[in-house]
């Protein structure tokens, strides 16, 4: 076999491998998306009936964590979740109406409202964290 023929064969093999890798990447991405969806459904079953959406739960958890380190304001939520002011305001209003958070006037700047988690909100976050821990244990046991 000539050097030119060998070179052409190598190019063919590399193209085939490249194609196979691309297909594998596509399948891996799809598999990961499916796995994420399955885990989300399993978490919903574990958590049970919940009066919060995933977005509200995420925001509540963020307020819980950040509130341990510093004062929390609406702009913090807008930046963390990359959402508009109106969206953040609506999320916070629903959390406040359900008594998970309270909004207080900031003594240093009357234009700002400080956000604090309530006891009910803390209890909810703790319950979710316990169930997430249970889910992680179940997953680790299956590995």
């Amino acid at each position: 076999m000539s050097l030119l023929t060998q070179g052409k064969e190598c190019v063919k093999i590399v193209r085939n491998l490249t194609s196979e890798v691309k297909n594998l990447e596509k399948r891996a991405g799809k598999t990961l998306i499916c796995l994420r969806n399955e885990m989300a459904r399993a978490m919903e079953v574990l958590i049970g009936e919940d009066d919060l959406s995933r977005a509200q739960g995420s925001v509540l958890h963020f307020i819980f964590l950040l509130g341990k380190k510093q004062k929390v304001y609406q702009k913090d939520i807008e930046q963390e979740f990359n959402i508009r002011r109106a969206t953040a305001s609506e999320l916070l209003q629903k959390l406040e109406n359900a008594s998970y958070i309270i909004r207080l006037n900031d003594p240093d700047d009357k234009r700002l409202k400080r956000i604090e988690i309530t006891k009910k909100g803390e209890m909810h976050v703790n319950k979710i964290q316990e169930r997430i821990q249970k889910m992680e244990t179940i997953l680790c046991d299956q590995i």
Side-chain angles (χ1 to χ4, degrees), residues 72-125:
V72 182
Y73 298 95
Q74 181 171 326
K75 67 176 176 48
D76 297 319
I77 293 158
E78 294 166 9
Q79 290 170 351
E80 177 68 19
F81 294 94
N82 193 28
I83 56 176
R84 294 186 314 236
R85 184 182 301 164
T87 304
S89 183
E90 182 182 342
L91 272 167
L92 292 171
Q93 187 173 11
K94 288 179 180 177
L95 289 171
E96 189 174 31
N97 289 343
S99 302
Y100 288 109
I101 64 165
I102 54 172
R103 290 192 261 193
L104 305 167
N105 290 325
D106 188 288
D108 301 327
D109 189 343
K110 300 293 182 201
R111 297 170 295 169
L112 297 176
K113 295 269 190 184
R114 196 173 76 242
I115 301 165
E116 290 187 4
I117 194 163
T118 63
K119 286 287 183 202
K120 179 181 177 182
E122 284 181 19
M123 288 172 38
H124 187 79
V125 169

Side-chain angles (χ1 to χ4, degrees), residues 33-47:
I33 290 169
C34 290
L35 180 60
R36 182 197 54 155
N37 291 340
E38 287 296 321
M39 288 179 62
R41 281 192 282 275
M43 280 303 299
E44 288 170 0
V45 168
L46 252 184
I47 291 169

Side-chain angles (χ1 to χ4, degrees), residues 15-33:
R15 284 187 181 145
N16 286 340
L17 285 173
T18 303
S19 176
E20 287 182 36
V21 167
K22 285 181 182 179
N23 286 335
L24 182 61
E25 287 173 350
K26 287 177 187 176
R27 287 189 308 239
K30 184 177 179 179
T31 301
L32 287 173
I33 290 169

